[in-house]
Amino acid sequence: MNSAIVLLLGIAAMLCGYLFYSKFIATRILALDNSRPTPAHTMKDGVDYVPTNKYVLWGHHFTSVAGAAPIIGPAIAVIWGWVPAVLWVVFGTIFMAGVHDMSAIWASMRNRGQSIGSIAGSVMGTRVRSLMMVVIFLLLLMVNAVFGVAIANMLIKTPSAVLPVWGALIVAFIIGQCIYRYNMSLIWVSILGVTALYGLIYLGPMFPVVLPETFMGLPDNAVWIIILFTYAAIASLLPVWMLLQPRDYINGLQLFVGLILLYAAIFISTPNIVAPAINTDLPVGTPSIMPLLFVTIACGAISGFHGLVATGTTSKQIDKEEDARFVGYFGALGEGMLALGAILAATAGFASLGDWQAVYQKFGDGSIGAFIDGGAAILNAGVGIEMVLSQTMLTVMAALFAGTTMDTGVRLQRYIFQEFGEFYNLPILSKGVVATLLAVGTCLLLAFGAGGIDGSGGMIIWPLFGTTNQLMAALTLMIVTVILLRNGKTVWYTLAPLSFLLVMTIFALLIQLKTFYVDGNWLLIIMDLIILIATILVTFESFSVLRREWSSHKGKNET
């Protein structure tokens, strides 16, 4: 199959989703209204609540949610065949992810910018809030710990990416000053920022950075992990306009330039997809496509982490209600386009089926490596960028997005500890520095406590990330559905995807529980059980609330 045709059809479908379906949801279901003041104005504090240009905020939302996961998941899931992966990414993005992100922002805007956990408490009661906080905390712990390990590994594997990855922080800081202190034109700032980023990418291969194999008894990847979390702790305490917003915005533009180059290379070179459309010759030990496809590809189709970002940071910066459509739905669309690019890079970037099979020898193979190597081969063949520079560019793309997700994830984890302090009357947790130290400390404890001196513990819990992520998406849609029902709105557009996700993810949790038991992995068994029990209890409580609201709504209509 020609990859250019698949890419063209996928992009066309997603754009139609934005032009028509998102408009229908925004106007007919959510009734976004610019005359209603948003929390960014009513609760403006210059740190977390900041009215923001929708294009800048789109960059924050998009890059915060589009970490390494929309690359890792799709580039693993193609082992079942490229057709199921493409269909799930395209239709999941249109009918689930976009609606999820936009409606989560809407729910938070209408509730003083509260996080999804706090909204759950006011909508469904304290028990649901407490249970959801457990799921949210574990999800953030997984995201931060895993991405810390992933970025460290990328910086070690591709030393040419170190300079542009860290240099991007300086570029972002300068951009924040230009926009907010000096009121410079966004167009010129964007052009200069993207030019500086790609200048750093060009210089990266000339000045590779390699850490010593050991430093003070720690291996190089452990040193990188500590450096990354030290940075994330500092960044989470800074005002959002100073680093988080501009970094996310410029990274968003950088990704779109990178995607345009990758897409252009596909259209120019038109490589054939060498992987099977549906793989009937699966490696031994590969799990069933049902239901694991729908949790292996989480980010890129629908992701519960998006709800945490949407209600944790994005909703506090929305300038006008109608901006939620562009920021939320189009932000999810951008991630879907990244996931589609990852699928094509991991299936059309190989010379032959044999070469592809040599990489995909067992479930879990491929991942970021297949995206970088396959994408670099396409860029080299299509637009003539040399292999080392192509690999550097794609590594920087993946590392920067994983980094922005870490930035936001640590800030969100800080919010969680602060909310714990408010809920349980523990004033010390309300202090930003204390909450941040606890957030970073728990991530490092997992990384080094479970993984030993190399800090790889985050990867141990990666198998649970997809299921926990999708369950969080279902629970977010559950809360939105209750709010819609209370407001007399049609709920089928959120009820259908949440029901599908609940069935698939609970089924996947049960399958994984059996696997963990056979493997004797007690850490994952305990975490799986905690997540499963919390989810089942939240689901029962939620459907009980839904049933009451439905009966009440029906009664009002009859009278």
Side-chain angles (χ1 to χ4, degrees):
M1 183 68 177
N2 191 302
S3 59
I5 296 174
V6 176
L7 178 60
L8 184 63
L9 292 175
I11 293 174
M14 290 186 194
L15 290 180
C16 286
Y18 178 73
L19 292 174
F20 303 109
Y21 192 63
S22 74
K23 185 176 181 180
F24 168 77
I25 298 295
T27 56
R28 298 290 297 276
I29 307 301
L30 303 181
L32 298 178
D33 182 3
N34 281 347
S35 67
R36 299 175 66 110
T38 64
H41 292 280
T42 60
M43 303 177 68
K44 184 177 178 180
D45 63 5
V47 178
D48 296 317
Y49 293 84
V50 180
T52 304
N53 178 288
K54 70 177 183 179
Y55 299 105
V56 174
L57 186 55
W58 168 84
H60 158 69
H61 183 78
F62 168 46
T63 54
S64 292
V65 300
I71 296 172
I72 295 173
I76 290 175
V78 293
I79 196 167
W80 287 301
W82 64 266
V83 168
V86 167
L87 291 177
W88 174 226
V89 163
V90 172
F91 291 106
T93 297
I94 294 170
F95 296 107
M96 296 190 184
V99 175
H100 171 275
D101 287 26
M102 179 168 56
S103 62
I105 294 172
W106 167 81
S108 183
M109 286 192 304
R110 297 289 176 90
N111 286 274
R112 299 181 295 107
Q114 290 182 324
S115 70
I116 195 65
S118 297
I119 298 171
S122 59
V123 172
M124 299 185 188
T126 56
R127 280 186 301 181
V128 172
R129 181 194 65 198
S130 298
L131 290 167
M132 279 197 66
M133 284 296 193
V134 172
V135 179
I136 291 170
F137 178 78
L138 289 175
L139 177 57
L140 288 172
L141 187 64
M142 292 178 195
V143 169
N144 294 331
V146 168
F147 282 8
V149 176
I151 297 170
N153 290 339
M154 281 188 275
L155 295 178
I156 292 170
K157 181 183 177 183
T158 313
S160 58
V162 175
L163 176 65
V165 165
W166 290 102
L169 300 180
I170 299 173
V171 174
F173 181 81
I174 294 173
I175 286 174
Q177 301 299 310
C178 290
I179 294 174
Y180 287 99
R181 286 194 183 275
Y182 302 109
N183 297 314
M184 290 180 61
S185 168
L186 186 61
I187 293 176
W188 285 111
V189 170
S190 303
I191 293 172
L192 292 173
V194 171
T195 302
L197 274 183
Y198 276 93
L200 289 169
I201 290 172
Y202 180 76
L203 292 174
M206 301 179 190
F207 303 97
V209 178
V210 180
L211 292 183
E213 289 188 8
T214 59
F215 178 76
M216 297 182 66
L218 293 174
D220 51 0
N221 60 324
V223 174
W224 273 127
I225 290 169
I226 293 172
I227 292 173
L228 286 163
F229 275 108
T230 301
Y231 155 73
I234 296 170
S236 73
L237 291 169
L238 293 175
V240 290
W241 64 268
M242 190 174 290
L243 187 60
L244 186 70
Q245 278 185 3
R247 178 179 177 178
D248 291 353
Y249 173 66
I250 203 67
N251 283 351
L253 293 180
Q254 181 259 348
L255 171 67
F256 255 70
V257 172
L259 276 180
I260 289 170
L261 286 173
L262 180 60
Y263 286 176
I266 290 173
F267 285 126
I268 292 171
S269 62
T270 62
N272 287 323
I273 298 174
V274 299
I278 297 177
N279 194 0
T280 56
D281 186 24
L282 293 168
V284 176
T286 302
S288 170
I289 188 173
M290 291 288 289
L292 290 183
L293 170 69
F294 304 103
V295 297
T296 302
I297 302 180
C299 301
I302 182 172
S303 163
F305 183 71
H306 291 213
L308 303 186
V309 175
T311 63
T313 58
T314 304
S315 63
K316 296 175 175 63
Q317 303 168 62
I318 290 282
D319 183 30
K320 301 174 183 177
E321 273 209 352
E322 290 180 11
D323 291 351
R325 178 189 173 207
F326 180 80
V327 173
Y329 196 100
F330 196 68
L333 208 68
E335 190 181 59
M337 291 181 178
L338 174 59
L340 182 59
I343 290 171
L344 296 178
T347 55
F350 294 84
S352 67
L353 174 60
D355 291 335
W356 182 85
Q357 290 173 330
V359 172
Y360 286 85
Q361 295 187 24
K362 65 179 186 299
F363 182 73
D365 284 349
S367 192
I368 289 180
F371 167 73
I372 292 173
D373 294 339
I378 292 173
L379 286 170
N380 179 255
V383 292
I385 303 176
E386 62 178 9
M387 284 294 293
V388 174
L389 185 58
S390 295
Q391 289 172 333
T392 300
M393 184 178 73
L394 293 174
T395 300
V396 170
M397 182 188 296
L400 285 180
F401 283 112
T404 52
T405 300
M406 266 189 71
D407 286 2
T408 303
V410 172
R411 185 178 288 261
L412 291 173
Q413 213 166 355
R414 187 248 294 175
Y415 290 163
I416 292 295
F417 278 109
Q418 289 178 312
E419 288 183 355
F420 280 149
E422 293 176 8
F423 295 155
Y424 302 110
N425 195 25
L426 297 170
I428 191 171
L429 292 182
S430 299
K431 298 181 183 297
V433 174
V434 174
T436 299
L437 289 175
L438 286 172
V440 171
T442 51
C443 292
L444 290 174
L445 181 63
L446 173 64
F448 289 96
I453 196 171
D454 65 353
S456 62
M459 301 308 295
I460 293 174
I461 60 173
W462 177 256
L464 276 174
F465 168 75
T467 45
T468 309
N469 200 24
Q470 300 302 68
L471 285 170
M472 192 65 238
L475 297 178
T476 299
L477 287 171
M478 180 80 74
I479 293 168
V480 170
T481 301
V482 172
I483 296 173
L484 287 172
L485 194 57
R486 285 183 175 175
N487 285 275
K489 301 290 185 179
T490 303
V491 300
W492 296 112
Y493 304 99
T494 54
L495 185 61
L498 83 83
S499 300
F500 174 81
L501 286 175
L502 275 178
V503 171
M504 289 299 166
T505 49
I506 290 177
F507 186 18
L509 271 175
L510 293 171
I511 291 175
Q512 288 179 321
L513 186 62
K514 179 182 177 181
T515 302
F516 301 151
Y517 178 77
V518 171
D519 294 341
N521 193 326
W522 289 101
L523 173 63
L524 291 183
I525 289 172
I526 292 170
M527 292 186 68
D528 192 308
L529 285 172
I530 291 172
I531 295 166
L532 183 61
I533 292 169
T535 300
I536 291 173
L537 291 175
V538 170
T539 302
F540 282 148
E541 291 274 357
S542 300
F543 275 111
S544 177
V545 172
L546 266 178
R547 188 172 60 252
R548 289 198 303 269
E549 292 294 333
W550 202 297
S551 299
S552 175
H553 180 65
K554 184 178 179 181
K556 289 178 182 178
N557 288 340
E558 290 176 352
T559 57

